[in-house]
Amino acid sequence: MEPFKKNKGLVAMLDAQHVDTDQIIPKQFLKRVERTGFGQFLFYDWRYLPDGKTPNPEFELNKPRYQGASILLAKDNFGCGSSREHAPWAILEYGFKVLIAPSFADIFFNNCFKNGMLPIVLPSTTVDVLFDEVKKTPGYELTIDLEKQEIDTPTGKTISFEVNAFRKNCLLNGLDDIGLTLQHEDKITSYETTHPVS
Amino acid sequence: MAEKTIIEKIWDNHLVHEESGKASILYIDLHLIHEVTSAQAFDGLRMNKRNVRRPDLTLATLDHNIPTTDRSVPVKDQASLHAINTLLKNAKEFGVEIFDMLNPNSGIVHVIGPELGLTQPGKTIVCGDSHTSTHGAFGALAFGIGTSEVEHVMATQCLQQFKPKTMEIRVNGKLPHGITAKDVILHIINNIGTDGATGYAIEYTGDVIRSFSMEERMTVCNMTIEAGARAGLIAPDETTFAYVKDKPRAPKGEAFNAAVKKWKALQTDPGARYDKVLQFDAAEVRPQVTWGTSPGMGADIEGKTPDLTQVSDANLKHTYEKALAYMGLKPNQPIKGLAIDRVFIGSCTNGRIEDLRAAAKVVKGYKVAKTVKAMVVPGSQRIKAAAEKEGLHKIFLDAGFEWRESGCSMCLGMNEDTLAPEERCASTSNRNFEGRQGKGGRTHLVSPAMAAAAAVQGAFTDIRQWKYK
């Protein structure tokens, strides 16, 4: 996994609550057996007109001012629904490394960390202010510093955020979960000896 | 020793390694696999020259992509076929047992675990599918995981986890006539919201839950994820033990008795504290019909779509406007009498034998409305066979339903079973997200009995007033 330390980038916003993983990556694309190739289908039903090819000019992420964004500002319960990891794969491949929302669904939140992405939870009021600032300011950028757990805004504000210390360390160092667990192989083996499964 | 909830007991029983400030390493007793979320995990194993550590605790099935039509005909959708063949190949290469489409044990992953007796009290059960919470009905700690975690479990038979907070949801009282487990869970979600239990594992308790059959308990636990919690469980009791007994892969004879003795200890200790407790009164539950594009956008058959003039929160108003527009509904529109085009009875939520019996009871002696296309998709081939033995298929076929092979089918429409744009569907599945059952399709979540009644009437109707023939 690629380490994540800092990200300075353009912010795009998606003004919808309860964005589910079926919207993020519709089921017809889950037939792919690869880990890549999902970015082109991100938000497929919203992003394209019914022909499936022409970008929908009404969809927020299609607006020219958001092209190249690496930070996505979203609303409550982002990523709810299915466990499909294809959702964070699609978001990452599209270009977003950081997601900011008042809340995320559990499985999606967890899946993000497994892919070197940083989902940040901020209070609703703070997120609403960020939405306002992005709306008013084309080219709006944020700087995210994971080590310091801080977000710098163009207006000179610094917003601090919480992140679980273990997950932070895994992200900063790009640690491989499986490798970490296998360091305790002796304990797994000993557990298996004492706890046979019926 | 301190009093513990059943959630904490199962957690503690599976701790392989614990270290302050880090994720705990939990042992996994059963890993279920299907074709949509496993291919990339197997690739990861190959890339890192790793094996499946415990193929004997791993079981694969095909369910999401498979057609529900004649199984002797080759799968037409080439992408689906490739996904199916990839899992067949991976299972063989890594020595994992797999039920192919022709296997009489095949079916939806969350239906076959219980019916084979692999789902047992006290187990930790995971699967790359959010509805793994279903298995919690047996007093197991069961939850959905992502593909990276699928690979992690394959390689280590363990999972790194942070301990969830605990929530008790107590359903008191007695269920009114015509009200089902599906109505109870939809009512709960409607009240607490789709993120009402995010970060928690739920224990369902109370008289109503205790009185539920295993099928009903599975329906409740299945939709736990729709309230935001990854896991929801029900402490095992005699109902649980009776269901597991004599199942093909359950312990037999003395081993079963010994297991039951162990399972009986899986109760929340008196005085144990939950991080949150919610109570519901069963008497208040009415037949539920969701109106929107999230399972929390619920109403009952006597209700209406939201009155937007009464919604003051700007974010919520925006969300409701969008949902109403997608669903082709107006604010303040009554649910009763709303015409439908399609009916889907099936899924890991409501595709079990009792669900089919409940629907058949409603349908018996009636015909599906001329304006409606209705289908029944059993949750597994075993359920299909059991239903046919009881003659349920005849009731459905006589009424004009299609009677299909098992699979996930139109719950998520990965195969050919999909809604056309703007088609309105009464569905016994678990999600009414935009496009879930087909791009532009409009899903209303209901119980099997409500879906069956809607099929006959061609519109949503109150099951409590149904004239059974």
Side-chain angles (χ1 to χ4, degrees), chain A residues 15 17 22-23 27 31 34 46 75 77 81 85 106 110 164 177 181 184-185 187 189 191-192 198, chain B residues 13 17 27 40 53 77 120 147-149 152 160 194 199 315 318-319 412 414 431 434-436:
Chain A
D15 188 6
Q17 295 176 312
D22 274 82
Q23 300 319 314
K27 72 279 192 140
K31 295 173 187 181
E34 300 84 17
W46 289 347
K75 292 263 160 104
N77 202 21
E85 198 165 313
D106 278 346
N110 193 42
N164 174 286
D177 275 355
T181 297
H184 302 285
E185 171 127 38
K187 283 195 155 184
T189 307
Y191 182 93
E192 284 173 327
S198 57
Chain B
N13 284 345
H17 179 76
Y27 200 78
Q40 297 85 351
R53 183 182 178 94
D77 182 324
Q120 294 165 18
T147 297
S148 295
E149 291 178 312
H152 190 285
Q160 292 183 4
T194 49
N315 280 327
H318 175 64
T319 303
L412 86 165
M414 267 192 93
R431 290 189 175 134
E434 283 184 32
R436 171 83 176 176

Side-chain angles (χ1 to χ4, degrees), chain B residues 66-136:
Chain B
I66 60 174
T68 54
T69 45
D70 187 355
R71 290 277 157 83
S72 61
V73 178
V75 177
K76 271 184 277 177
D77 182 324
Q78 289 307 302
S80 286
L81 183 63
H82 184 54
I84 289 166
N85 287 337
T86 301
L87 181 54
L88 288 167
K89 188 175 77 62
N90 282 331
K92 195 169 171 204
E93 182 182 334
F94 287 90
V96 171
E97 183 181 17
I98 182 164
F99 298 145
D100 64 25
M101 280 189 285
L102 298 173
N103 192 309
N105 284 330
S106 71
I108 306 176
V109 65
H110 309 308
V111 176
I112 65 171
E115 71 185 9
L116 289 172
L118 285 168
T119 301
Q120 294 165 18
K123 277 191 178 180
T124 45
I125 302 175
V126 296
C127 173
D129 190 286
S130 60
H131 292 110
T132 308
S133 56
T134 312
H135 307 265

Side-chain angles (χ1 to χ4, degrees), chain A residues 15-18 20-23 27-35 38 44-46 48-52 75-77 80-86 89 103-107 110-111 114-115 128 164-167 169-170 176-182 184-185 187-189 191-192 195-198, chain B residues 13-17 19 21-23 25 27 29 36-37 39-40 43 50 53-54 57 65 77 79-80 82-83 86 120 123 128-130 144-149 151-152 155-156 158 160 162 194-195 198-200 225 228 230 251 315-316 318-319 322 412-414 431 433-439:
Chain A
D15 188 6
Q17 295 176 312
H18 310 295
D20 58 73
T21 53
D22 274 82
Q23 300 319 314
K27 72 279 192 140
Q28 63 267 36
F29 307 113
L30 311 189
K31 295 173 187 181
R32 296 176 72 88
V33 295
E34 300 84 17
R35 230 175 219 268
F38 296 100
Y44 184 81
D45 287 350
W46 289 347
Y48 299 103
L49 293 175
D51 68 3
K75 292 263 160 104
D76 321 66
N77 202 21
C80 60
S82 102
S83 64
R84 59 188 72 165
E85 198 165 313
H86 314 67
W89 294 339
S103 62
F104 294 90
D106 278 346
I107 304 179
N110 193 42
N111 283 342
K114 307 284 179 197
N115 289 280
D128 284 344
N164 174 286
F166 176 72
R167 284 177 163 146
N169 186 44
C170 289
D176 164 30
D177 275 355
I178 298 178
L180 283 181
T181 297
L182 287 175
H184 302 285
E185 171 127 38
K187 283 195 155 184
I188 302 174
T189 307
Y191 182 93
E192 284 173 327
H195 296 75
V197 179
S198 57
Chain B
N13 284 345
H14 290 83
L15 268 180
V16 168
H17 179 76
E19 208 174 319
K22 292 192 178 176
I25 300 178
Y27 200 78
D29 296 324
V36 180
T37 56
Q40 297 85 351
D43 279 346
R50 286 169 176 151
R53 183 182 178 94
R54 293 294 299 269
L57 302 182
N65 276 279
D77 182 324
S80 286
H82 184 54
T86 301
Q120 294 165 18
K123 277 191 178 180
D129 190 286
S130 60
I145 56 178
T147 297
S148 295
E149 291 178 312
E151 183 181 337
H152 190 285
T156 66
C158 292
Q160 292 183 4
F162 293 98
T194 49
D195 52 1
T198 300
Y200 290 88
I225 184 68
R230 289 173 76 176
N315 280 327
L316 192 62
H318 175 64
T319 303
K322 211 165 143 265
L412 86 165
M414 267 192 93
R431 290 189 175 134
F433 297 153
E434 283 184 32
R436 171 83 176 176
Q437 296 192 292
K439 189 171 174 165

Side-chain angles (χ1 to χ4, degrees), chain B residues 215-238:
Chain B
E215 278 84 353
E216 292 171 309
R217 294 179 191 189
M218 283 188 259
T219 299
V220 171
C221 290
N222 172 276
M223 289 195 71
T224 298
I225 184 68
E226 265 58 67
R230 289 173 76 176
L233 55 70
I234 295 169
D237 57 14
E238 292 304 327

